């Protein structure tokens, strides 16, 4: 895999690229991850398509949003749109993990003419807030921003401390944690710090409710495949049960692994994704 850097109107988007085929695949990682999430699946492969695995804004090596901006989920849709325009692609395949899966789904609903297929990995639908809780959601977001505004950057004496901190929130082994976090770490004068924007941890100021989520799903025309880890997040399976009947064309695959099953059962996930893209019109 080779690095790339694409400038859009708003961002300097970094990532990893593999393949040189006419068909284009955009791979979108999960919250607080980065494009290294897809390395176990793609390293050593020779895809017939051109894969762009991007770092979302505030993650990995991609630029942060401005000081007065926040990380609204819907803004990632614009980021993907600008990226596809910047590389000159007409129609793409989308592969998304977790938050990236939700971005892929909503993008495909909004811009169906630009999407050939969507592969969800451990993510489907949206994170929603009931309509009668919208003011509480916004209030908590504002208060959280005020608390975190002047928070100092945490310095870790060694990378191992960062890996151990991440191990408390994931089922990945140390080898995969180090691969994932290596792109989220930078050396500083007294140790190491995260390159992820601290504002990513702020509460969301706005979310769709279930009715809006269903409305968006009904607009998703492209064929979709969901890959689930057999030990993945319960939340994802609950969303599947809640929304499965609203998808126009959705198939479901189960593989070994947890929420990052594409890193744990990487070869199997790659084969399922390739087969689905070929079925959906990729050469």
């Amino acid at each position: 895999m080779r690095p790339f850097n694409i400038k859009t109107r708003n961002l300097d988007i970094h990532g990893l690229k593999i393949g040189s085929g006419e068909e284009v695949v955009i791979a979108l990682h999960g919250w607080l991850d980065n494009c290294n999430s897809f390395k176990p699946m793609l390293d050593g492969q020779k895809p017939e398509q051109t894969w762009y695995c991007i770092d979302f804004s505030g993650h990995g090596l991609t630029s942060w949003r401005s000081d007065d901006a926040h990380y609204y989920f819907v803004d990632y849709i614009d980021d993907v749109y600008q990226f596809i325009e910047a590389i000159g692609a007409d129609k793409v395949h989308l592969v998304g993990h977790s938050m990236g899966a939700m971005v892929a789904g909503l993008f495909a609903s909004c811009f169906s003419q630009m999407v050939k297929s969507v592969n969800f990995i451990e993510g489907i639908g949206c994170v929603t807030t009931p309509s009668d809780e919208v003011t509480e959601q916004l209030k908590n977001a504002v208060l959280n921003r005020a608390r975190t505004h002047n928070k100092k950057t945490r310095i870790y004496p060694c990378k191992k401390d960062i890996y151990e901190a991440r191990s408390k929130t994931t089922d990945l082994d140390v080898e995969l944690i180090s691969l994932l976090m290596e792109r989220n770490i930078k050396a500083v004068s007294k140790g190491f710090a995260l390159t992820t924007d601290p504002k990513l941890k702020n509460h969301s100021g706005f979310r769709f409710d279930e009715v809006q989520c269903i409305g968006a799903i009904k607009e998703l025309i492209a064929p979709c495949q969901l890959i689930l880890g057999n030990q993945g997040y319960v939340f994802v399976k609950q969303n599947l049960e809640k929304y499965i009947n609203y998808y126009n064309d959705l198939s479901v695959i189960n593989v070994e692994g947890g929420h990052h099953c594409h890193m744990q059962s990487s070869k199997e996930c790659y084969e399922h994704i390739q087969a689905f893209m070929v079925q959906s019109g990729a050469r």
Side-chain angles (χ1 to χ4, degrees):
M1 299 182 75
R2 54 196 187 277
F4 69 81
N5 176 16
I6 302 289
K7 294 184 182 296
T8 66
R9 295 195 309 273
N10 301 330
L11 297 172
D12 199 5
I13 296 180
H14 289 253
L16 294 171
K17 181 179 178 181
I18 189 171
S20 56
E22 292 183 7
E23 297 277 342
V24 173
V25 182
I26 310 294
L28 309 171
H29 63 77
W31 182 62
L32 298 182
D33 288 349
N34 55 70
C35 69
N36 273 8
S37 168
F38 297 102
K39 285 196 75 175
M41 199 170 69
L42 293 170
D43 267 346
Q45 301 290 354
K46 296 180 180 180
E48 294 183 4
Q49 314 86 12
T50 300
W51 282 65
Y52 291 90
C53 306
I54 73 171
D55 289 337
F56 276 126
S57 178
H59 299 74
L61 304 181
T62 292
S63 53
W64 294 5
R65 302 208 189 279
S66 61
D67 289 344
D68 61 341
H70 294 276
Y71 290 89
Y72 290 102
F73 173 75
V74 291
D75 286 334
Y76 290 123
I77 311 304
D78 185 26
D79 295 343
V80 174
Y81 181 84
Q82 288 188 44
F83 182 80
I84 293 173
E85 277 203 323
I87 63 174
D90 294 322
K91 206 164 187 177
V92 303
H93 299 272
L94 297 175
V95 176
H97 169 245
S98 194
M99 180 187 79
M102 297 181 184
V103 173
L106 187 54
F107 181 89
S109 294
C110 294
F111 300 100
S112 58
Q113 76 281 6
M114 298 174 67
V115 180
K116 288 190 174 183
S117 73
V118 185
N119 270 277
F120 305 120
I121 304 170
E122 274 288 305
I124 194 167
C126 298
V127 178
T128 60
T129 295
S131 56
D132 59 356
E133 295 178 14
V134 64
T135 54
E136 188 69 15
Q137 179 76 26
L138 179 56
K139 181 181 78 173
N140 289 337
V142 171
L143 294 176
N144 183 254
R145 290 176 188 176
R147 284 193 295 268
T148 60
H149 178 67
N150 295 316
K151 193 174 181 179
K152 292 183 178 179
T153 300
R154 181 177 177 181
I155 306 300
Y156 296 82
C158 63
K159 292 181 180 180
K160 182 180 177 182
D161 291 340
I162 297 178
Y163 302 156
E164 288 179 352
R166 182 62 191 258
S167 70
K168 296 176 182 177
T169 62
T170 185
D171 58 354
L172 293 175
D173 60 29
V174 174
E175 182 180 356
L176 290 177
I177 288 173
S178 62
L179 170 66
L180 188 59
M181 295 305 294
E182 189 65 30
R183 199 171 172 91
N184 278 351
I185 296 173
K186 63 180 179 182
V188 293
S189 59
K190 296 183 179 180
F192 298 89
L194 296 175
T195 63
T196 47
D197 190 339
K199 288 192 297 184
L200 289 167
K201 293 187 176 181
N202 286 349
H203 294 307
S204 299
F206 168 80
R207 288 177 181 156
F208 291 156
D209 61 22
E210 285 189 16
V211 174
Q212 291 171 313
C213 181
I214 290 169
I217 291 170
K218 288 180 176 179
E219 296 294 322
L220 208 173
I221 298 171
C224 301
Q225 176 173 257
L226 170 63
I227 299 175
L228 292 172
N230 60 7
Q231 297 178 24
Y233 282 179
V234 173
F235 163 76
V236 180
K237 294 178 175 63
Q238 290 173 338
N239 262 16
L240 175 61
E241 293 178 3
K242 189 183 300 181
Y243 299 123
I244 188 171
N245 292 329
Y246 300 106
Y247 281 89
N248 174 58
D249 185 357
L250 175 68
S251 57
V252 181
I253 299 288
N254 288 276
V255 300
E256 292 290 325
H259 187 57
H260 288 79
C261 58
H262 63 308
M263 299 183 75
Q264 297 161 322
S265 294
S266 55
K267 182 179 179 182
E268 187 178 358
C269 286
Y270 177 78
E271 290 173 351
H272 282 307
I273 290 169
Q274 284 291 337
F276 188 74
M277 286 193 298
V278 169
Q279 174 187 322
S280 304
R283 292 189 297 275

